[in-house]
Amino acid sequence: MIPIVIGLGKLFPSLTHDATQANRLRRIITGIMITFSVANLLLGTTLANALIYWTGEAGSGTISGAHTTSSVYNNRFIVAYDIAIRTPSDRLITSRFHDDDFIVYPSHNRTLYPGEGDKFTVRYLRLAPAEFVIVENDGSPFSRRVRTTTEATTY
């Protein structure tokens, strides 16, 4: 991000002959980029999941395997999931995600992932099918299990 700001800053003197106007423009663009960077840190996953959900195509997913990685997050090992996505045109897409990717839609504080062999709905990008979200609020077996688990733990 910083190299982009520096590169744009180098262009400003050639775009305008007024140094005050160039400095003002530099400050505005820097402020915008800092704002977008902070927004990305705070809301990046939530916005990305929503965009994939709303613009993606529906498919069915199955976890074909899961294994613990050597990476640790919040004092526990991260689990990697292998997934097979079946498109409506019967195309099979294989991908992988980690349980620290938080790719469940809708986003919330508690993320549950499907287990091996679970059937669930995914929404994926047509041009980049390895980018997907797991839909948690439909009628799939996984969604029903999550709803029952959540209702059982609600006070």
Side-chain angles (χ1 to χ4, degrees), residues 37-110:
S37 297
V38 170
N40 184 43
L41 286 173
L42 298 176
L43 302 170
T45 301
T46 303
L47 290 175
N49 287 351
L51 282 171
I52 292 172
Y53 179 81
W54 290 107
T55 62
E57 297 183 11
S60 62
T62 307
I63 299 296
S64 56
H67 63 276
T68 305
T69 66
S70 59
S71 301
V72 176
Y73 180 79
N74 284 345
N75 296 322
R76 66 175 190 78
F77 287 101
I78 295 172
V79 177
Y81 295 90
D82 296 317
I83 180 174
I85 299 172
R86 179 80 54 192
T87 67
S89 62
D90 213 30
R91 183 172 151 217
L92 184 65
I93 300 161
T94 58
S95 188
R96 174 176 284 176
F97 70 93
H98 295 98
D99 65 357
D100 66 337
D101 290 339
F102 307 110
I103 58 166
V104 175
Y105 183 86
S107 298
H108 44 76
N109 289 338
R110 183 175 170 202

Side-chain angles (χ1 to χ4, degrees), residues 11-23 25:
L11 287 176
F12 293 134
S14 63
L15 295 176
T16 178
H17 297 292
D18 183 4
T20 307
Q21 187 179 4
N23 286 334
L25 195 53

Side-chain angles (χ1 to χ4, degrees), residues 109-148:
N109 289 338
R110 183 175 170 202
T111 304
L112 298 173
Y113 289 101
E116 203 165 332
D118 277 349
K119 305 279 186 206
F120 52 92
T121 304
V122 297
R123 304 253 335 157
Y124 63 93
L125 297 177
R126 187 172 47 85
L127 297 176
E131 303 302 323
F132 62 92
V133 292
I134 297 170
V135 180
E136 190 183 81
N137 61 355
D138 67 340
S140 69
F142 166 69
S143 176
R144 287 193 299 270
R145 184 172 55 87
V146 167
R147 225 180 351 261
T148 344

